[in-house]
Amino acid sequence: MPSTKRSNAQRLRDSLENDIINGRRVPGERLDPEALGREFNVSRTPVREAIQQLVASGLVTVSPKKGTFVAKVGIDQLIEMFEVMAELEAMCGRLAARRISDAELAELRDALERCEAAARAGDTDEYYYENEAFHDCIYRASHNTFLLGEARQLKQRLKPYRRLQLKVRQRMHSSLSEHRDVVAAIEAGDPVAAEHALRNHVLIQGERFSDFVASIREFERPVSATG
């Protein structure tokens, strides 16, 4: 029974996240838990769990006595969060290059292969999930439990926006190329190169900054009645 509830919560969370990211649910829109339960044919528990996960990622806010709403995105705060995420991942990469075990390196290579398969198929959603697994391999290979927890926590907050980035044309293929650079640096045991590769991979700068802001602006734009 618990696994079914988790599955339903995950299914609902992913659907709502997709709707929000793609503008089908706009900032300020109220989410009715009872209506969501009917729409997805699930009980209150999965709805509550899905909303809690969306609150954790910053996509949804819950206001006492008012209800649950799609959050308004603050670009400045997002950029600051990506800056911190880039430093956390850079540190994970540096430590992983020094500490990764043979088994963990094999796991990282497998994760890269799955990212490559998703990219070949042009499946951004599948790439999104494999990308998450790829980065988590590096967090664990740092062998620093505190750093692992901090990286995972902030990654959870940024997951929807990392997903949104992949919708930008050619970003998935650029991301894959950057993954290869990261793996090459870790395989070579080069902590400086691994740190540099991961920082640049996560940090939003230059043209990527402009693309990201444009995608967020599109995400914030209400859908007009005339389409």
Side-chain angles (χ1 to χ4, degrees), residues 11-164:
R11 178 168 59 88
L12 177 55
R13 189 196 70 81
D14 283 353
S15 181
L16 289 173
E17 181 180 286
N18 274 323
D19 283 351
I20 294 170
I21 288 297
N22 290 298
R24 291 187 290 271
R25 297 180 190 268
V26 298
E29 180 179 339
R30 187 174 185 274
L31 300 178
D32 182 347
E34 292 187 3
L36 290 173
R38 291 192 297 271
E39 180 181 349
F40 290 88
N41 192 29
V42 296
S43 65
R44 293 181 180 180
T45 299
V47 173
R48 184 171 63 250
E49 291 175 357
I51 288 175
Q52 287 173 345
Q53 292 172 24
L54 291 169
V55 169
S57 68
L59 281 182
V60 165
T61 59
V62 177
S63 179
K65 299 182 181 180
K66 292 185 179 180
T68 303
F69 300 89
V70 177
K72 182 175 175 60
V73 179
I75 291 178
D76 290 344
Q77 183 184 21
L78 281 176
I79 298 305
E80 291 174 352
M81 290 166 68
F82 268 104
E83 288 178 344
V84 174
M85 189 79 251
E87 294 304 318
L88 289 176
E89 295 226 8
M91 187 181 299
C92 287
R94 184 178 74 244
L95 294 177
R98 289 163 36 193
R99 301 175 177 176
I100 194 166
S101 68
D102 289 342
E104 288 167 339
L105 186 55
E107 185 180 354
L108 182 61
R109 289 173 180 145
D110 287 344
L112 176 60
E113 288 180 6
R114 292 194 300 273
C115 288
E116 289 176 340
R120 283 194 301 271
D123 190 338
T124 56
D125 285 334
E126 183 66 17
Y127 186 89
Y128 163 76
Y129 289 110
E130 298 302 347
N131 177 64
E132 293 295 302
F134 175 86
H135 284 268
D136 203 68
C137 285
I138 298 170
Y139 302 165
R140 287 182 280 109
S142 73
H143 292 269
N144 184 311
T145 305
F146 181 79
L147 178 59
L148 168 68
E150 293 297 304
R152 280 178 172 172
Q153 183 177 7
L154 186 51
K155 182 183 72 171
Q156 181 67 26
R157 292 288 307 275
L158 288 172
K159 279 176 66 174
Y161 308 104
R162 295 176 82 154
R163 186 175 201 161
L164 182 61

Side-chain angles (χ1 to χ4, degrees), residues 97-98 184-191:
R98 289 163 36 193
I186 292 175
E187 283 179 328
D190 188 337

Side-chain angles (χ1 to χ4, degrees), residues 182-214:
V182 169
V183 173
I186 292 175
E187 283 179 328
D190 188 337
V192 174
E195 178 181 46
H196 179 77
L198 270 161
R199 180 182 292 111
N200 286 343
H201 176 58
V202 177
L203 192 62
I204 301 175
Q205 53 191 337
E207 291 181 352
R208 279 183 60 198
F209 175 82
S210 299
D211 291 341
F212 180 72
V213 171

